Every structure is written in structure tokens, then in C-alpha cells.
Amino acid sequence: MRNDICIYVSPADRARLERLVADRNTSRKAAWRAEIVLATADGLGTMAIMRRTGKSKPAVWRWQERYIEAGVDGLLRDKTRPARKKPLSAEVKLAVLTKTAQERPPGGGTHWSARTMARTVGISHRSVQRIWAEAGLKPHLVTTFKLSNDPKFAEKVTDVVGLYLNPPDKALVFCVDEKSQIQALDRTQPGLPMKKGRAGTMTHDYKRHGTTTLFAALDVKTGAVIGECQPKHRAKEFIRFLRTIDRNTPKSLDVHLIVDNYSTHKTQAVKDWLAKHPRFKLHFIPTSSSWLNQVERFFAEITRKRIRRGVFTSVAQLETAICDYLDAHNADPKPFVWTKSADVILAKVHRARAALDAAKSRNQALESEH
């Protein structure tokens, strides 16, 4: 049978232990550990300490020994315990990462899931998730991209970005485009409002009540938008919108319009109108480069904030909602600030093209091996 332990507690340690016991902010386990040591120093036996603290005999012995080994600091922390399961080896982690990046899952799938990988490697799906998280891999996600094949890509990017970063004097710069085929959609059943613990509801199916096209010109400097709805987006509607811009801008200023390569913007009728209005100058973005036109960002905003969740029983109701949004936007416009220079953009595109060429070469090599 184990004999009672005698412990010498220095005055400094005793003062500290007494403060721990008296302080209401001390954790309960730290307080009773301090009581065990103080009672031992006062000469109490194990049974008396058990009665005072309500702890078991092994607990009393454990914290007496911990104080002897580590002092008061040892009472304030739990001893680290070995993990119940051994950590995964570097070989297993490497196998998961290699299969994720270079192999397809069994059964002809396009990408790995955590559970499929877990069954293949022989570990838990939680372990697979941790390995992917550490490596920054997300096999369930894929992002889309498109590199422009426009032969004048660099020239057009330099031209448009120059308008954003260094606009010409005594001139206005507008980003112009059409958001076509906006549908006036009515839901087949009324939705339920949002409430605590539940999002608002909306039926997945709908009734169509026609379409409209929003022509918009975003002022790069102020963020204000000149916009109007028209039934179609042909050359004559585009010319009609050019007249709208002409009426709403000072005649003394040149007007630079950033537009895409849509054929409507290049017809002979449009060229003839531009020839009669020399203050209008068109700047075309490269093909497959809608990200370069800032008005697309405005279209994303109006879609998210006003159109996507809207319920419209007619085209007129839809157009009224669009006009109301334009009025509210123009009451307090804020411009989109372009920050990337043309050199930065061209360098990034060059790296992307190099990576794409390398991927093509690897795929061709694999096909030749098979």
C-alpha cells in the first residue's frame, strides 16, 4: 500500500496556489488541483484530501506527482496523450495526391470523391478530406476558361485598358453592350417569404411572358448608366441607342464606346451613322473577352439584384422594373475601378497559353503511348 506523500511548498508557490483557489475566474480543475497540493503541504493524508476535494485516490496521487515534477505550471495544463490512431504515413498521403492528380476513379468517373478515394486507398473519407485540404485540392470543383484567339488581342487589350486607366481629355468613355433575351418570368405558384430558420421559396418552373433587350452604356468615370429597353437587338436598334447616347451627352465632347465584336456593331448602316457623327469612336474588345467590358459587371448586378428573383406577368412590367433599377442606380452611381495594366494582363495570358500548350503536349504524348 502506498504511503502518504510529503510535499514542501515554497512561500511563493503557496501564495500562487492560494490565489488560484480564491480566484473565481480559475477553472474548476485548476482550483481543485491547487487544493490537493495545499492540503498535502499542510500534512493531510490521502484519505483526508479525498474527502476535502471529492477526488479519487489516483487523482490525488497524480497531481501530487505532477507538482513535484513541474511545479504550479504543471497543474495548469493537461498532459498530452498519444493519439488513438497512428498518423497517416507520407506514402499514403502521396498515393492519395498522385491518384487525385493523375488517375481516374474506377468505374469510368470523371473525378474522385472522398469516399471513392477512401475505398481505393483503404483509409477513411475524413482522412482523404484532410489530405486534400492540406494540399489545397478540390476535385469536385472545376473552373471554366477561354483564351482569346483574336490575332489583334494585344493591340485591342492595350487600347481598351488605356481608355480605363488614361482616358482622353475632353471626351467621355462608355462601355456599351446589350443584355438580350431577358425573359419576363412568372412563377407557377406563389413563393413563401423568408423567416427564421428558412429561406424564401420560389418554384423551379415558370411561365414565359415574352422577352426584352436592355441596351446599356456605362460611363467609366462616374458609373452612371444610359439604358433603354428594345424588343430586339439588330443594327437598327443599336443605331437607335447610339442616338439616345448622342442626345444625353454634351455635343462638345468626343464619345469613345467600348463594344464587343457582335456583327450588329459592324454593319454598313452603323458605319454610315458613325461617319455622320465623327465624335463617336468605337473600340472593339478581343473575341471571347467579355471580361474586358465593364458593362458586363453592371449586367451581373442588375441580374442578381432585380431580375433573377423577380416575378413579371408581362414584358411591360419587366421593363418598368429595369427602368426603376436604372433610376435608383443613377441616383447614386459608383464607378467600377479598373486596376490591372495591359502589361499585367498580357503576361497572365501568356502564362495561361504556355500552360495550355504544355497540357496539349502531355495529352498527345499519352495518346501516342496507347
Side-chain angles (χ1 to χ4, degrees):
M1 184 173 179
R2 178 171 173 171
N3 295 325
D4 293 335
I5 296 178
C6 294
I7 295 178
Y8 169 73
V9 176
S10 67
D13 279 1
R14 177 176 287 275
R16 188 177 177 189
L17 292 169
E18 290 175 348
R19 283 197 301 269
L20 289 173
V21 173
D23 191 348
R24 296 178 61 184
N25 293 322
T26 303
S27 64
R28 292 184 62 186
K29 59 184 180 182
W32 60 255
R33 292 169 186 174
E35 287 182 357
I36 289 175
V37 175
L38 286 172
T40 305
D42 291 339
L44 273 65
T46 301
M47 299 302 295
I49 297 173
M50 291 169 57
R51 287 191 295 269
R52 174 180 291 190
T53 61
K55 301 302 175 183
S56 66
K57 187 180 297 184
V60 172
W61 290 343
R62 181 185 309 119
W63 294 106
Q64 289 172 338
E65 294 173 354
R66 180 69 63 81
Y67 175 77
I68 294 172
E69 294 172 359
V72 178
D73 291 337
L75 305 178
L76 302 179
R77 63 177 184 272
D78 293 327
K79 208 165 190 177
T80 56
R81 298 178 178 86
R84 289 179 296 175
K85 293 183 179 179
K86 292 183 179 180
L88 296 175
S89 65
E91 291 77 10
V92 172
K93 293 182 179 180
L94 180 60
V96 171
L97 296 178
T98 301
K99 287 181 178 295
T100 303
Q102 300 180 8
E103 299 180 17
R104 294 286 181 86
T110 58
H111 61 281
W112 290 95
S113 69
R115 295 183 186 277
T116 304
M117 179 64 74
R119 287 193 297 268
T120 303
V121 181
I123 58 178
S124 70
H125 73 279
R126 296 291 186 188
S127 297
V128 174
Q129 291 172 339
R130 285 193 292 271
I131 294 171
W132 283 346
E134 291 173 0
L137 297 179
K138 300 179 180 179
H140 64 291
L141 296 180
V142 61
T143 57
T144 58
F145 76 99
K146 173 68 176 180
L147 287 180
S148 174
N149 293 318
D150 194 319
K152 296 183 178 181
F153 178 82
E155 177 184 336
K156 291 179 179 179
V157 167
T158 302
D159 178 37
V160 172
V161 173
L163 290 175
Y164 289 151
L165 299 180
N166 299 293
D169 296 332
K170 297 181 180 180
L172 298 171
V173 178
F174 287 97
C175 294
V176 177
D177 202 2
E178 307 89 23
K179 184 172 178 60
S180 61
Q181 299 295 310
I182 307 174
Q183 298 189 75
L185 301 180
D186 183 18
R187 302 295 160 175
T188 58
Q189 297 173 359
L192 297 175
M194 175 181 61
K195 71 175 186 179
K196 183 178 180 180
R198 187 191 70 192
T201 65
M202 179 177 288
T203 60
H204 68 277
D205 55 347
Y206 45 79
K207 301 175 185 177
R208 295 185 177 93
H209 293 287
T211 62
T212 189
T213 295
L214 171 61
F215 285 75
L218 172 71
D219 189 332
V220 170
K221 182 178 180 180
T222 66
V225 176
I226 300 173
E228 65 182 15
C229 293
Q230 300 192 40
K232 296 183 180 180
H233 56 116
R234 299 167 297 187
K236 66 178 184 179
E237 282 82 15
F238 181 60
I239 293 174
R240 189 180 305 160
F241 184 58
L242 291 177
R243 294 194 186 104
T244 300
I245 299 174
D246 190 28
R247 290 193 302 270
N248 287 276
T249 54
K251 304 297 182 183
S252 60
L253 299 178
D254 288 341
V255 179
H256 295 264
L257 304 181
I258 298 171
V259 297
D260 63 20
N261 287 275
Y262 188 48
S263 59
T264 296
H265 304 152
K266 299 179 178 180
T267 64
Q268 189 59 46
V270 172
K271 294 178 181 178
D272 293 341
W273 189 92
L274 293 173
K276 296 177 183 177
H277 299 78
R279 77 187 187 104
F280 278 75
K281 299 173 177 58
L282 265 59
H283 302 261
F284 293 96
I285 64 173
T287 56
S288 305
S289 302
S290 59
W291 49 267
L292 197 55
N293 195 335
Q294 287 190 356
V295 76
E296 296 293 343
R297 188 68 190 88
F298 172 76
F299 286 155
E301 289 290 300
I302 192 173
T303 300
R304 180 174 63 89
K305 295 179 178 179
R306 188 62 188 93
I307 297 175
R308 181 174 294 137
R309 296 191 188 184
V311 176
F312 310 105
T313 58
S314 67
V315 172
Q317 189 180 26
L318 171 63
E319 291 180 345
T320 299
I322 292 173
C323 290
D324 290 345
Y325 182 88
L326 289 173
D327 291 341
H329 173 84
N330 289 332
D332 184 25
K334 292 181 176 60
F336 300 112
V337 180
W338 192 272
T339 59
K340 298 293 184 183
S341 68
D343 290 340
V344 172
I345 295 171
L346 294 175
K348 187 173 182 179
V349 170
H350 178 73
R351 292 194 299 271
R353 196 172 297 282
L356 185 61
D357 292 340
K360 287 181 179 179
S361 300
R362 286 196 301 270
N363 292 337
Q364 291 173 355
L366 291 174
E367 291 176 0
S368 62
E369 291 178 359
H370 294 294

